[in-house]
C-alpha cells in the first residue's frame, strides 16, 4: 500500500551509483523497475494512505482510505521524511526558491546560483547533481568535515563551480516574493555574511515516519527497533528500510531488510497455522 509515489525517497535521487550490479541509474528508473518486477510477480499494489494499524493478536487490521485490510502480519516500510531548518519564512518560501528535492526543482535554476545546506550523503550527492545544471553551487555546512562518503566528497572538491563553506550556519533566508540570498554566521569567528542565491536546497537529514505505530519500541532518534529477523516488539509486526534503527541507510540495506522481513513473515505465518 503506497500513499503517493511508489519508491519513496529514492525517486528524488538523481543518480544511484552504489547499488551492486547496476553501475548507474536514476532513482525514478530504479523505482519503475521495482514496481514492474513486483507486479509481474503477482503483488497487488494499492494507492492509499494508511491511517492506522490495530493489533488484535494473530489478526492485524490496516486502515487505508475507506478500506480496511485484515492481515496475519504487516511489514512496515514507511521510510523517512526530510527535516526542515526551522527558520522563519521557510514554509512561506518553499516552492519560491526553497526546495528539498534537487531532481524535482534543480532544472528551474539552470545557469543560476544555488545554495545547498547540509553535509551528509544527500547534500553532497544533490550538490554534485546541481553542479551540472546551475552556474554556481555553494555548499554551506555547519562543521569543517563532511559526513558524506569520502568518494563523493573528493568529487565535489574537484568541481570548479562549487564553493564549500565550512563552519557556517544559515541564520536567515533573504527575499520577499522569492529567495534572493541567505545570511550566514561562521560558528567559529561569529562573522556574519550574505550569500546571494536564487535557490536554497535543504538537505539536513531525515526523521522517521513513525506516527502510525506509536506502541513499537524505538531508539533515541525515533527509529523502530527490530531483531535481526526484522521482527518488532509486537509479534506479527515487522519493519524494513530507512525507518528501522540501523547503522547504514542505503537502497541495498533497505532491499536486504525487505528480503529478510518477507522470509520472516512466511515463517511467522507458518507458526500461526500449526
Ligand atoms: P544525514 O546523514 O543525517 O546528514 C544530515 C546533514 O545535515 C549533516 O551533515 C548534519 O550536520 C546537517 N544538519 C543537520 N541538522 C542541521 C541544521 N539544523 N542546520 C544545518 N545543518 C544541519 O542525512 P542525509 O544526508 O539526508 O542522509 C540520511 C541517510 O540516508 C543517511 O544514513 C545517509 O547515509 C543515507 N543516504 C545514503 C545515500 C547513498 O548511499 N548514496 C544517499 C543519500 C542518503 P552534521 O554532520 O554536523 O551532523
Amino acid at each position: 500500500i503506497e500513499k503517493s509515489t511508489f519508491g519513496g525517497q529514492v525517486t528524488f535521487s538523481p543518480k544511484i551509483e552504489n547499488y551492486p550490479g547496476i553501475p548507474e541509474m536514476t532513482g525514478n528508473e530504479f523505482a519503475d523497475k521495482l514496481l514492474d518486477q513486483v507486479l509481474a510477480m503477482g503483488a497487488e499494489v494499492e494507492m492509499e494512505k494508511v491511517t492506522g494499524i490495530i493489533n488484535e493478536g494473530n489478526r492485524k487490521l490496516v486502515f487505508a482510505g475507506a478500506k480496511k485490510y485484515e492481515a496475519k502480519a504487516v511489514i512496515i516500510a514507511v521510510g523517512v521524511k526530510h527535516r526542515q531548518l526551522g527558520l522563519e519564512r521557510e514554509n512561506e518560501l518553499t516552492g519560491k526558491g526553497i526546495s528539498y528535492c534537487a531532481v524535482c526543482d534543480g532544472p528551474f535554476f539552470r545557469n543560476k546560483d544555488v545554495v545547498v545546506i547540509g553535509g551528509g550523503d544527500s547534500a553532497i550527492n544533490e550538490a554534485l547533481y546541481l553542479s551540472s545544471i546551475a552556474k554556481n553551487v555553494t555548499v554551506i555546512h555547519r562543521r569543517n568535515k563532511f559526513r558524506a562518503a569520502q568518494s563523493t566528497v573528493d568529487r565535489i572538491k574537484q568541481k570548479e563551480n562549487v564553493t564549500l563553506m565550512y563552519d557556517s550556519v544559515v541564520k536567515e533566508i533573504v527575499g520577499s516574493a522569492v529567495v534572493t540570498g541567505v545570511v550566514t554566521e561562521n560558528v567559529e569567528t561569529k562573522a556574519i555574511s550574505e550569500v546571494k542565491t536564487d535557490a536554497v536546497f535543504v538537505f539536513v537529514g531525515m526523521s522517521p515516519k513513525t506516527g502510525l505505530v506509536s506502541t513499537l519500541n524505538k531508539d533515541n532518534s525515533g527509529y523502530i527497533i527490530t531483531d535481526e529477523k526484522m521482527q518488532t516488539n509486537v509479534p506479527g509486526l515487522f519493519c524494513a528500510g530507512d525507518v528501522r534503527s540501523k547503522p547504514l541507510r542505503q537502497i541495498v540495506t533497505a532491499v536486504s531488510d525487505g528480503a529478510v522481513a518477507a522470509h520472516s513473515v512466511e515463517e511467522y505465518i507458518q507458526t500461526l497455522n500449526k
Side-chain angles (χ1 to χ4, degrees), residues 18 83 85 117-123 125 141-143 145 147 203-206 242 248-250:
N18 59 356
R83 260 195 240 129
L85 282 170
I117 304 175
D121 283 311
S122 299
N125 280 317
H141 181 37
R142 64 184 179 183
R143 287 189 297 136
K145 188 163 182 349
R147 162 189 303 277
F203 300 108
V204 295
M206 304 285 181
D242 280 4
L248 182 64
R249 291 191 174 81
Q250 291 187 344

Side-chain angles (χ1 to χ4, degrees), residues 42-56:
E44 288 170 30
V45 174
E46 297 280 349
M47 297 305 289
E48 288 285 0
K49 181 176 178 180
V50 174
T51 49
I53 302 173
I54 292 181
N55 174 40
E56 291 187 343

Side-chain angles (χ1 to χ4, degrees), residues 71-137:
K72 289 179 177 166
V74 177
I75 300 174
I76 296 158
V78 288
V80 289
K81 60 177 180 231
H82 63 74
R83 260 195 240 129
Q84 292 191 301
L85 282 170
L87 288 177
E88 216 179 306
R89 306 192 54 232
E90 189 172 354
N91 286 332
E92 187 191 322
L93 289 170
T94 296
K96 295 173 182 157
I98 297 184
S99 171
Y100 303 86
C101 175
V103 163
C104 324
D105 300 325
F108 295 118
F109 300 98
R110 189 167 296 280
N111 297 325
K112 300 207 163 171
D113 295 335
V114 305
V115 154
V116 169
I117 304 175
D121 283 311
S122 299
I124 301 306
N125 280 317
E126 311 285 316
L128 271 172
Y129 169 71
L130 287 166
S131 71
S132 65
I133 299 178
K135 190 165 148 207
N136 295 300
V137 179

